[in-house]
Amino acid sequence: MSRLQLGVFASGRGSNFKSILKEIKGGRLDADIKLLITNNKDAGVLKIASLNSIHCAVMKRSDFKMREDFITKMLTVLKSRGVEFIVLAGYMKKIPPEVISKYKHRILNIHPALLPCFGGRGMYGTNVHRAVLESGCKLTGVTVHLVDNQYDHGPIVNQKSIPVKNNDTAEKLAARVLKGEHEIYPQTIQLFAEGRVKIYGKKVIIKKK
Ligand code: GRF
């Protein structure tokens, strides 16, 4: 089985990036991270990538006069590093449609709630957990889904539920959900590495081993 060649897009501290790397190093994820793309030159994830000798590209739309040049640069760097599968790990920008169509069904995102609830524009960070608490839901969780042209909308590949506790705050809940993210994101990427994911429109089926 060949190893999945990953490009990770991230904007922040990079705890998911770290957990993916840990599973790769531990031999539980048959993949290599070939590239990190970030829009944020101060992102903590850059430090993790450089410490692990992973190629980094800081790419901001505002650094390019023409949108086309930004997209061409993004596609060129992805190709030059041999990226065949993209993982979004806290990337705070929309992926250009040109990149989505080039990597059709090969871009994953992780969301800190059970989609299709608590997703979409503005639903990121503690906003999500605050909305969950306000709703009175007894369950929240993590969703790993394929990326399409709408926020938090593509086919759902994997989910993990996490109970909401009576004394939860958004911060406490965020910490438990993040732990769940670190478990299921590498596991879900491994399903792709094993070629076990079949996509039928919005429905995704995981083939048995
Ligand atoms: C995670 O909560 C993830 O669900 C969301 O962005 C956050 C990224 O966290 N998409 P980290 O940078 O991986 O720690």
Side-chain angles (χ1 to χ4, degrees), residues 10-18 45 88-92 109-113 124-125 129 142 177-178 181-182:
S11 306
R13 66 192 158 188
S15 73
N16 277 288
F17 183 89
K18 211 171 171 176
V45 67
L88 309 186
Y91 185 63
M92 298 304 285
N109 184 39
I110 189 155
H111 184 75
Y124 59 86
H129 306 294
V142 183
V177 169
L178 191 63
E181 295 186 33
H182 298 161

Side-chain angles (χ1 to χ4, degrees), residues 111-115 117-118 128-133 135-143 159-165 168 172-174 176-178:
H111 184 75
L114 294 175
L115 292 176
C117 294
F118 306 110
V128 178
H129 306 294
R130 238 179 275 126
V132 168
L133 291 176
S135 77
C137 272
K138 301 293 185 197
L139 274 181
T140 184
V142 183
T143 302
Q159 289 187 304
K160 180 183 173 73
S161 62
I162 293 176
V164 177
K165 295 184 181 172
D168 260 338
K172 281 187 193 170
L173 193 52
R176 289 207 311 287
V177 169
L178 191 63

Side-chain angles (χ1 to χ4, degrees), residues 25 70 144:
K25 286 183 179 173
F70 173 65
V144 179

Side-chain angles (χ1 to χ4, degrees), residues 12-188:
R13 66 192 158 188
S15 73
N16 277 288
F17 183 89
K18 211 171 171 176
S19 75
I20 292 166
L21 205 52
K22 185 174 161 218
E23 296 307 290
I24 291 174
K25 286 183 179 173
R28 292 173 294 273
L29 174 52
D30 301 316
D32 299 304
I33 303 180
K34 303 302 288 180
L35 170 70
L36 168 74
I37 289 187
T38 183
N39 60 307
N40 175 10
K41 66 172 178 34
D42 300 317
V45 67
L46 274 171
K47 198 163 174 203
I48 305 170
S50 343
L51 281 173
N52 287 280
S53 310
I54 291 167
H55 187 89
C56 302
V58 179
M59 294 194 58
K60 271 173 75 179
R61 167 67 187 92
S62 57
D63 290 339
F64 295 79
K65 217 157 118 197
M66 307 294 289
R67 183 180 174 277
E68 292 69 29
D69 295 342
F70 173 65
I71 291 157
T72 306
K73 182 75 202 287
M74 190 176 268
L75 287 170
T76 307
V77 71
L78 286 164
K79 193 171 174 199
S80 71
R81 306 308 301 184
V83 171
E84 53 187 19
F85 196 94
I86 295 175
V87 170
L88 309 186
Y91 185 63
M92 298 304 285
K93 297 284 171 195
K94 234 175 162 192
I95 301 293
E98 293 85 345
V99 177
I100 295 178
S101 56
K102 194 101 196 160
Y103 284 84
K104 187 160 190 268
H105 291 160
R106 288 183 292 137
I107 308 180
L108 277 183
N109 184 39
I110 189 155
H111 184 75
L114 294 175
L115 292 176
C117 294
F118 306 110
R121 196 173 270 281
M123 278 293 171
Y124 59 86
T126 46
N127 292 355
V128 178
H129 306 294
R130 238 179 275 126
V132 168
L133 291 176
E134 276 164 22
S135 77
C137 272
K138 301 293 185 197
L139 274 181
T140 184
V142 183
T143 302
V144 179
H145 66 94
L146 289 157
V147 171
D148 65 11
N149 287 317
Q150 291 176 51
Y151 278 120
D152 303 326
H153 177 265
I156 292 171
V157 183
N158 203 356
Q159 289 187 304
K160 180 183 173 73
S161 62
I162 293 176
V164 177
K165 295 184 181 172
N166 290 337
N167 63 349
D168 260 338
T169 59
E171 290 71 25
K172 281 187 193 170
L173 193 52
R176 289 207 311 287
V177 169
L178 191 63
K179 220 170 145 225
E181 295 186 33
H182 298 161
E183 283 169 29
I184 78 161
Y185 214 6
Q187 288 168 0
T188 310

